Amino acid sequence: MADDDLTRRETGPLDRPAGSEHEYESLLPRKGAVGRIFAPAAGFGVTLSSMFRPTVTEQYPFEKVPTKPRYHGRHQLNRYPDGLEKCIGCELCAWACPADAIYVEGADNTPEAQFSPGERYGRVYQINYLRCIFCGLCIEACPTRALTMTNDYELAGPTRRGMIYEKADLLAPMGEGMLAAPHPMVPGTEDLEYYRGEITGPVIEQVDWVAQWRPEDPTLDAARNRAEGAR
Amino acid sequence: MTSTTTGAAGTSGTVVPEVTFTIDDVEVSVPKGTLVIRAAEQLGIQIPRFCDHPLLKPAGACRQCLVEVAMPDREGNLRPMPKPQASCTLVATPGMVVHTQRTSAVADKAQHGVMELLLINHPLDCPTCDKGGECPLQNQAMSNGRATSRFVDAKRTFAKPLAISTQILLDRERCILCQRCTRFSNEIAGDQFIDLQQRGARQQIGRFDPAVLGFDGAGQATVFAGAEDDGTPYTRAGGMPPVDESPERPIGPAALDASGRPFSSYFSGNTVQICPVGALTGASYRFRSRPFDLASTPSIAEHDSNGSAIRVDHRRGVVMRRLAGEDPVVNEEWLTDKDRFAFTWQTAPDRLTAPLVRDRTDDGAPGELREASWAEALTVAAEGLAAARDGAGVGVLPGGRPTMEDAYAYAKLARVALGTNDVDHRARPHSAEEEAFLGHAVAGRGIDVTFADLERSAVLLVGFEPEDEGGVVFLRLRKGVLAGATRVFSVAPFATRGLRRVRGTLLPAAPGTEPEVLDAIGDAEDAELAAAAEALRGGVVLVGERMATVPGALSAALRLAERLGARLAWLPRRAGERGALEVGTLPTLLPGGRPVADGAARADLAAAWGVESLPSTPGRDLTAILTGAVSGGLAALVVGGVDPADLPDPDLALRALEQTFVVSLEVRASAVTERADVVLPVAPPAEKPGTFVTWEGRPRPFAQALTSTALPDHRVLHALAGRLGVDLGLGTLAAVHGDLDELGAWDGVRADAPDMAYSEPPTPGADQAVLASWHLLLDLGRCQDGEAFLAGTAPRPVARLSSELAARIGVDDGAPVTVSTDHGSITLPAVITPMPDAVVWLPVSSPGSTVRTTLRVDAGAVVTVAPGTTTDVEPTDGEQA
């Protein structure tokens, strides 16, 4: 009976041309009589055998297992060692994004507010994590390695709005001795020196500039130490 | 697609012989004189190119379009040319055999080589470049270039970007010296503000700035330092550290723009659009967005009566930029800077978004404006209008900028719902003579003179400054003049920069004497006027809107056109004027040019509109409406986009608005809003569909670019009429068009031609002069607000006077001169200009020169001229073409 039902469902009598003479026949070898009798019990074999194997269940969130190093997690906007942002607001990440999850607006760097080397910086940077599929095409598109992915996978929230991460949420934390942007580029350098990785940390002129215009900046002391140490 | 042959003067009828030759083994026949690259386009064969542009002359500057060519020699044997040839300069000849990169390894290798050379010094800054994503160099480097670079040395760099004007930035590293920009400014606009300078590897585009060229003592070149968040050019204010800056001063006498640079051009934005790399960029669009996140909507520019095709590029409901659309019959591929850059007014901070209603205090005096619901605002407006309609009456002032559909709603509202002919869209100096002229010669006449006609016949400009008052008209005139098919004559006080560039002949006329000059054209005694008449026979007479202020001028223009067998066209400045005229927003005209005074026309219209009768008394014009409002002859006004400062008497307008019940339909808060009782917000052109009608009479429909909840005027008026108990039937665009289609054209009698006698203008005293005045393209207009980059490129306002007058009152060239009336005075730098004695010229509405509000007079009035003591703007050293 059951066999008949199955047969009918799989072959789909409606699909068959009317008046066709060909009945469906499976290519699998048909089991013998004993095999057919024990077929229902054989399914429990899998269940029983796994009772004697090691447990793979992860006790998340009580135990957090490190991801593989190249795991595609939350994005990060990186900085140069002197604290300037790497993002130039070129929107190539937004262009590459297959899920339309990234929104960028560029703007001019001015002598008063230099956020990144060169003429242009990303004024607005948003990633919508309700849309992001973590494919990493944005990372490949980024011409300055400004955008990379971290291993942070804990992306959940109670509101839709909260799942749109702004530039402040995505910027990498200030590393040791970095000087918070905006501040001028290292004197005598162009954006090319930054791209080639020739800038290793803030210099004293940058620290002085920030001290003049933002004396309360918390990164000043560490940056001054580093700049003086480098001299 | 534009496939214009160079120098085509539109000579129809002459048969151009055909040339047959082969490209990539395909035989093609093209008219003689066709370039190989154009012929290849016809076959669908794409040859990479940078310098080639269909509307510019061939240059062969970039060498990217190299093809392999063989030509038959005298015996007919096919002889290959020894080197690949540039197909953009190569004219097709019979029997020629061309192989492009598609079929010839030689051509392909040559193109790869050129591309590699071009890229040697081109920076790899595509991610920051505004052109990235829509860049011909980027695209063709991918399609016809090497995948990897063999160049390992340091690239040539320049200080960048240089600000050529406040609006145009130059990045010399990116330039590939194709000379599209210099050829445009030389061949099309005729105001060459940039050219090639230096030689060899240092060759670059520039404006011969001594600082950029590194001359001794010229200081350092300044580069553009960015813009603030709101888009205004970056200034070093707010206690920020000083940056090295050398004052930038033009050397020698030069006309300056408002930012202190040499005045560049009204058409400079076109160079940004045609630049095939990102060397020229616009400051206002700099780093604002990327081509791939822009949505484009084709539209029509709202700034002048040319109806230029534009492309509105917007992102997330915000217009980011506008580009020239391609329309061979109107603006070809060019646009004035005003059409291109002035769009921020539509989203200015004073934009009205909700209806406003003025509260009444307990004693009935007007209180403050407050936000209200549409239902409340419409009810209050309808009650006020109904009371006024049944009392003293209502006047309707649509202003000069509505779309045709909106203007029609104003016209119908006035006639059907308000029972009056007191409707006048002319928010500018006007006259009864003009009304008769428009009714007789313009309204309902369809398309007669077209842009193309300007390229092939002699043109007389009467009271019309082509560059300032009609950018595309200027370009078409210039094109015709350069092709040798057009001659331009101008009846004006002096030869403007624009007239000189169309090689025009000035027929000098002091303000007020234009009719005299027009009547004298053809006078055998004056050789110049006789020659003009001879040239203009069968030509075109273009009359500007400001001739309304000269009694007898329009009558004289009609007489002249008849005498010379010339065709006549009337050029208003504003986009909506011709459309409004066609749909009957004049006190004596109904839609289609039907005269109000004609009973048959009224009956025809009443039947179409389904009403018993239409008001038969001709209405009052703008000034009479305002005077009536002040004297109690009118109790309410429905006001569209009218700026009181544009009106002939701004003071009268403000008093009229204060003394009546005012319903204002406005995009932005204005002087009218402050005095309105009900304010109904309406949509700017980007947020509504509609139709502008060009000065030719050509309807230019455009679609809605942005999603918006703002309503167009016709929907608001439909709703308002509904509250008045009248169904206008104009609730949708389709309904308006249905209504207009049903009306059809009018084939009955027209208004009579005006025949106004010439009246002798007043004679000024020794220290007096007759005022000449017109609008500059870039001035204080409300539609240019909020665009500081554009405002910086406006020519600096000056007062022009003749050397005799200057000597008589003791003013030197460049010294301040004060022009005054009993009401006020304007002080501007004097520029001594060859012009009739006892005439002084001021811009109507430029910074430091608001003629109508300050002096309360208009062109033709007698004003006092005296040496000035101070001036708001720095004096110039005169002017050079």
Side-chain angles (χ1 to χ4, degrees), chain B residues 450-629:
Chain B
T450 63
F451 279 108
D453 292 334
L454 303 182
E455 287 179 17
R456 53 185 176 227
S457 45
V459 177
L460 175 68
L461 310 172
V462 184
F464 175 72
E465 158 47 33
E467 200 184 10
D468 279 308
E469 296 178 300
V472 177
V473 172
F474 169 79
L475 293 182
R476 298 299 281 256
L477 285 175
R478 191 175 142 79
K479 187 178 170 193
V481 166
L482 293 191
T486 300
R487 275 194 75 190
V488 179
F489 298 87
S490 174
V491 177
F494 62 92
T496 58
R497 188 170 174 263
L499 185 65
R500 289 198 299 269
R501 277 154 52 209
V502 293
R503 301 177 191 167
T505 310
L506 180 73
L507 309 176
T513 65
E514 286 93 345
E516 200 180 11
V517 176
L518 290 179
D519 280 340
I521 289 178
D523 190 344
E525 285 172 25
D526 189 323
E528 203 170 334
L529 292 178
E534 207 43 54
L536 285 166
R537 210 162 290 284
V540 171
V541 178
L542 294 184
V543 190
E545 66 171 31
R546 63 184 140 93
M547 278 302 98
T549 59
V550 182
L554 293 167
S555 312
L558 282 172
R559 282 197 298 274
L560 175 73
E562 196 170 345
R563 200 164 68 237
L564 298 178
R567 290 185 291 163
L568 188 77
W570 174 75
L571 279 119
R573 283 177 53 249
R574 296 198 177 111
E577 290 237 359
R578 180 70 197 262
L581 180 63
E582 297 294 332
V583 296
T585 50
L586 279 186
T588 52
L589 279 187
L590 298 171
R594 295 167 173 81
V596 166
D598 186 66
R602 285 203 310 277
D604 179 48
L605 195 62
W609 280 350
V611 291
E612 273 185 25
S613 69
L614 291 173
S616 57
T617 41
R620 287 169 272 195
D621 67 9
L622 175 97
T623 302
I625 287 173
L626 295 178
T627 317

Side-chain angles (χ1 to χ4, degrees), chain B residues 164-165 168 181-182 184-186 189-195 205-208 262-269 271 280 337 497:
Chain B
I164 285 177
S165 66
I168 307 296
C181 52
T182 57
F184 167 80
S185 57
N186 188 14
D191 49 6
Q192 195 150 19
F193 61 101
I194 43 175
D195 204 346
I205 298 289
R207 53 184 174 92
F208 296 103
F263 171 66
S264 54
S265 172
Y266 282 145
F267 305 99
S268 57
T271 60
L280 289 164
D337 284 357
R497 188 170 174 263

Side-chain angles (χ1 to χ4, degrees), chain B residues 558-788:
Chain B
L558 282 172
R559 282 197 298 274
L560 175 73
E562 196 170 345
R563 200 164 68 237
L564 298 178
R567 290 185 291 163
L568 188 77
W570 174 75
L571 279 119
R573 283 177 53 249
R574 296 198 177 111
E577 290 237 359
R578 180 70 197 262
L581 180 63
E582 297 294 332
V583 296
T585 50
L586 279 186
T588 52
L589 279 187
L590 298 171
R594 295 167 173 81
V596 166
D598 186 66
R602 285 203 310 277
D604 179 48
L605 195 62
W609 280 350
V611 291
E612 273 185 25
S613 69
L614 291 173
S616 57
T617 41
R620 287 169 272 195
D621 67 9
L622 175 97
T623 302
I625 287 173
L626 295 178
T627 317
V630 170
S631 66
L634 278 172
L637 293 174
V638 178
V639 185
V642 174
D643 183 356
D646 286 339
L647 302 182
D649 189 345
D651 185 56
L652 172 73
L654 295 183
R655 276 186 291 139
L657 292 168
E658 268 154 23
Q659 293 184 17
T660 45
F661 180 82
V662 175
V663 178
S664 166
L665 282 76
E666 262 286 24
V667 175
R668 295 167 55 197
S670 69
V672 179
T673 311
E674 287 166 28
R675 291 158 182 85
D677 294 271
V678 180
V679 179
L680 303 170
V682 291
E687 297 176 25
K688 65 179 175 190
T691 307
F692 286 127
V693 182
T694 68
W695 59 267
E696 313 161 89
R698 187 190 303 278
R700 302 284 280 161
F702 60 92
Q704 181 170 347
L706 304 179
T707 311
S708 169
T709 53
L711 301 174
D713 298 38
H714 68 86
R715 283 188 64 190
V716 174
L717 293 174
H718 172 81
L720 182 61
R723 302 275 162 157
L724 285 164
V726 177
D727 180 15
L728 278 192
L730 305 178
T732 64
L733 200 69
V736 179
H737 288 162
D739 229 33
L740 282 169
D741 289 348
E742 201 178 320
L743 286 184
W746 171 244
D747 47 9
V749 291
R750 302 265 168 194
D752 291 333
D755 190 16
M756 191 147 176
Y758 164 63
S759 59
E760 196 68 36
T763 325
D767 62 340
Q768 288 181 320
V770 181
L771 182 66
S773 187
W774 56 79
H775 285 272
L776 297 179
L777 184 78
L778 304 176
D779 60 6
L780 291 175
R782 293 264 292 164
C783 291
Q784 302 165 48
D785 278 4
E787 189 44 275

Side-chain angles (χ1 to χ4, degrees), chain B residues 94 106 129 247 293 309 318 428 563 575 660 710 769 822-823 861:
Chain B
V106 173
C129 176
D293 55 21
V318 181
R428 55 180 171 80
R563 200 164 68 237
T660 45
D822 294 344
H823 295 287

Side-chain angles (χ1 to χ4, degrees), chain B residues 818-854:
Chain B
T818 299
V819 179
S820 55
T821 62
D822 294 344
H823 295 287
S825 66
I826 288 172
T827 303
L828 286 176
V831 171
I832 292 178
T833 308
M835 59 198 281
D837 190 16
V839 175
V840 62
W841 178 86
L842 297 174
V844 170
S845 170
S846 289
S849 174
T850 49
V851 169
R852 286 178 200 145
T853 38
T854 312

Side-chain angles (χ1 to χ4, degrees), chain B residues 372-391:
Chain B
S373 67
W374 274 100
E376 182 189 2
L378 287 172
T379 307
V380 173
E383 278 170 4
L385 292 179
R389 174 188 62 190
D390 304 334

